[in-house]
Amino acid sequence: MAAVPAALGSGGMARMFPQSADGMVYLDTAATSLKPLSVVNAVDRYYRYNYSTIHRGMYPKALRTTDKYQSTRLKVQSLIGAEDVNEIIFTKGCTEGINLVALTFGDKFIGPGDEVIISESEHHSNIVPWQLLCKRRGCHLKVIPIDKDTGKLDTSSLSSLISNKTKLVAIQHKSNVTGITHPIKKVVAAARSVGAKVLLDAAQSCTDPSLNVKELDVDFASLSGHKMFGPTGVGILYGKRSLLQEMPPLHGGGDMVDRVAFNKTTFAPVPQRFEAGTPPIASVIGLGAAIDFITQVGRKKLQSHMNNMGDYARAQLKKVPGVKLLPSESSIVSFNTAHSPLDTATLLGASGFAVRAGHHCCQPLHRKFNVTSSLRLSTAPHTTTSEIDKFIASLKCVIGQLSGKKCEDNVEGKAK
């Protein structure tokens, strides 16, 4: 495995991400992260030299592949601080993990008159599954408000929202619009006071050292592989084993059974119970390589660099006339100009800068901020202050263009 350079944001770090060679300044990590060469190589080696399916194959390639697949489960356990490796379930993404809990734990343990609590800043993937559950089961959805000026969770409302009817609190760890990390321990304490369970949407905190499921004492946590430098098509669901053992399977098929007969089928123990069919083997192997990258760099060091780059971008954006920042912190910066976010992002893209435009799957939170959409910049291990400076120069140029002014081409306003 290639050694990781000590200097984040250096040319050496950028060279570890093959796509950075095309000259595009990539500032869209909150949507999906670029992949280190080690991840690309791990997937390539599997398809070139070790392609086989897992479990029950007794030939050498199948045995090696099974070992690789299961070693990733151990790496996940270590990364997030789970007590038991069997509390780690591979899914196809963070969204599927949340839906799995809603359709299994929710359908079994939440019924008419019960309550599910979410927050006003949730991604749609942590809103819609609970709305569907409430429609199926006759339960009620309640919402923790967000302060529109700070973007922070209004924890003072917890005492009035949480009741003996509350069965589950489903909350994001870190907002994908504001980058704000919510006070999860306070939320967990409030939920525990009435015996409620807690699900954590950890899509944006996969690489953050504050994500430790044992320390946070959450019952479930759903993570996204492609946001933590891994491949698409793989996610992670953590669940306390005592709860997973009581939950029915979501899908039926191969690998999730113990004994099948026409009159009765018994199911495999967790986690296999929730991994029906042929899993995303290549993606899981790539995820293992991504976790190796994260642990080699160090989560604290990694997140510190990304946060510092976010802080630098915020400071520079404040100096740009016409830019209005949404509340934000850490590695994510959302903002608006006087012009359409889509038009602005399109022109920035043509100049070599990748940023996100839209509601970021958070329509309710945007309405809270009295906007319908925003531009979002999010940083990475390979982000540099020089790239952000070039982005700011290009943004000024684009704002001028959209205002009907001519913007002269200059190196400061170009990515390359």
Side-chain angles (χ1 to χ4, degrees):
M1 188 177 299
V4 176
L8 287 156
S10 67
M13 178 59 73
R15 285 191 292 273
M16 295 195 72
F17 292 82
Q19 193 171 320
S20 65
D22 66 3
M24 171 72 73
V25 173
Y26 191 79
L27 297 169
D28 198 20
T29 301
T32 190
S33 57
L34 297 186
K35 314 309 169 195
L37 184 59
S38 57
V39 172
V40 177
N41 286 342
V43 175
D44 180 68
R45 282 194 299 270
Y46 165 66
Y47 279 124
R48 282 179 184 267
Y49 307 117
N50 287 303
Y51 182 75
S52 57
T53 193
I54 61 170
H55 304 148
R56 297 183 304 281
M58 293 298 106
Y59 49 97
K61 285 186 179 181
L63 294 172
R64 286 197 297 270
T65 298
T66 299
D67 286 345
K68 275 280 187 183
Y69 183 90
Q70 296 297 1
S71 72
T72 299
R73 206 185 301 273
L74 288 165
K75 292 173 184 179
V76 173
Q77 177 196 8
S78 176
L79 185 76
I80 67 172
E83 285 193 338
D84 187 336
V85 69
N86 293 312
E87 295 177 323
I88 307 302
I89 298 165
F90 292 125
T91 65
K92 68 181 182 183
C94 183
T95 298
E96 185 181 52
I98 295 170
N99 277 273
L100 189 156
V101 175
L103 289 162
T104 57
F105 175 85
D107 279 5
K108 182 172 181 178
F109 295 108
I110 302 176
D114 290 336
E115 296 170 350
V116 174
I117 295 179
I118 60 175
S119 85
E120 203 170 11
S121 69
E122 299 304 319
H123 189 282
H124 295 164
S125 63
N126 203 29
I127 299 175
V128 179
W130 309 115
Q131 291 176 326
L132 294 173
L133 173 68
C134 289
K135 187 174 182 179
R136 288 195 307 274
R137 300 290 294 151
C139 50
H140 305 291
L141 192 66
K142 298 170 76 174
V143 182
I144 307 168
I146 295 292
D147 187 295
K148 68 177 182 179
D149 296 319
T150 66
K152 294 185 182 296
L153 196 71
D154 179 9
T155 55
S156 66
S157 66
L158 288 172
S159 58
S160 60
L161 286 170
I162 291 181
S163 72
N164 290 329
K165 296 180 180 179
T166 304
K167 300 301 179 185
L168 180 75
V169 179
I171 189 164
Q172 64 187 185
H173 195 186
K174 178 179 178 181
S175 168
N176 67 303
V177 175
T178 67
I180 291 171
T181 298
H182 298 308
I184 300 304
K185 288 185 178 181
K186 285 186 178 180
V187 174
V188 170
R192 294 287 181 258
S193 70
V194 295
K197 307 303 181 185
V198 178
L199 176 141
L200 190 68
D201 174 358
Q204 293 297 331
S205 59
C206 299
T207 62
D208 196 302
S210 66
L211 177 60
N212 183 297
V213 295
K214 185 176 180 180
E215 291 181 3
L216 294 173
D217 191 30
V218 293
D219 300 286
F220 303 101
S222 192
L223 291 76
S224 169
H226 73 92
K227 295 182 192 293
M228 55 189 292
F229 314 112
T232 56
V234 63
I236 301 154
L237 177 66
Y238 159 81
K240 288 184 176 177
R241 189 169 185 176
S242 59
L243 292 175
L244 294 177
Q245 289 173 329
E246 296 299 317
M247 290 159 50
L250 177 59
H251 300 298
D255 235 26
M256 50 74 66
V257 296
D258 176 27
R259 184 178 184 277
V260 177
F262 289 116
N263 64 333
K264 183 181 180 181
T265 292
T266 56
F267 304 120
V270 296
Q272 282 74 26
R273 180 184 305 178
F274 299 104
E275 295 181 5
T278 302
I281 302 168
S283 295
V284 170
I285 290 171
L287 177 64
I291 295 173
D292 288 340
F293 170 80
I294 292 167
T295 53
Q296 280 193 333
V297 176
R299 285 203 291 174
K300 187 175 181 180
K301 185 177 178 182
L302 185 71
Q303 197 62 50
S304 177
H305 173 77
M306 293 167 67
N307 291 351
N308 288 341
M309 292 300 98
D311 291 342
Y312 183 78
R314 254 182 299 277
Q316 301 310 306
L317 281 165
K318 287 178 181 178
K319 301 174 185 177
V320 180
V323 166
K324 184 177 181 182
L325 290 167
L326 273 61
S328 71
E329 62 182 38
S330 70
S331 59
I332 295 175
V333 190
S334 294
F335 63 97
N336 274 305
T337 70
H339 308 286
S340 158
L342 181 60
D343 291 345
T344 306
T346 300
L347 291 175
L348 284 167
S351 298
F353 298 91
V355 295
R356 182 85 6 187
H359 52 63
H360 319 311
C361 296
C362 285
Q363 292 183 44
L365 183 59
H366 276 83
R367 284 193 288 270
K368 182 74 172 192
F369 294 143
N370 295 317
V371 295
T372 57
S373 59
S374 64
L375 289 151
R376 185 184 68 192
L377 171 160
S378 49
T379 61
H382 46 78
T383 304
T384 66
T385 55
S386 174
E387 288 179 332
I388 292 170
D389 289 340
K390 290 177 182 179
F391 166 77
I392 295 295
S394 187
L395 177 64
K396 290 177 180 177
C397 180
V398 166
I399 291 172
Q401 286 178 290
L402 291 171
S403 300
K405 300 174 184 177
K406 187 176 181 181
C407 180
E408 298 295 336
D409 288 342
N410 59 81
V411 70
E412 287 80 13
K414 294 287 184 180
K416 296 180 182 179

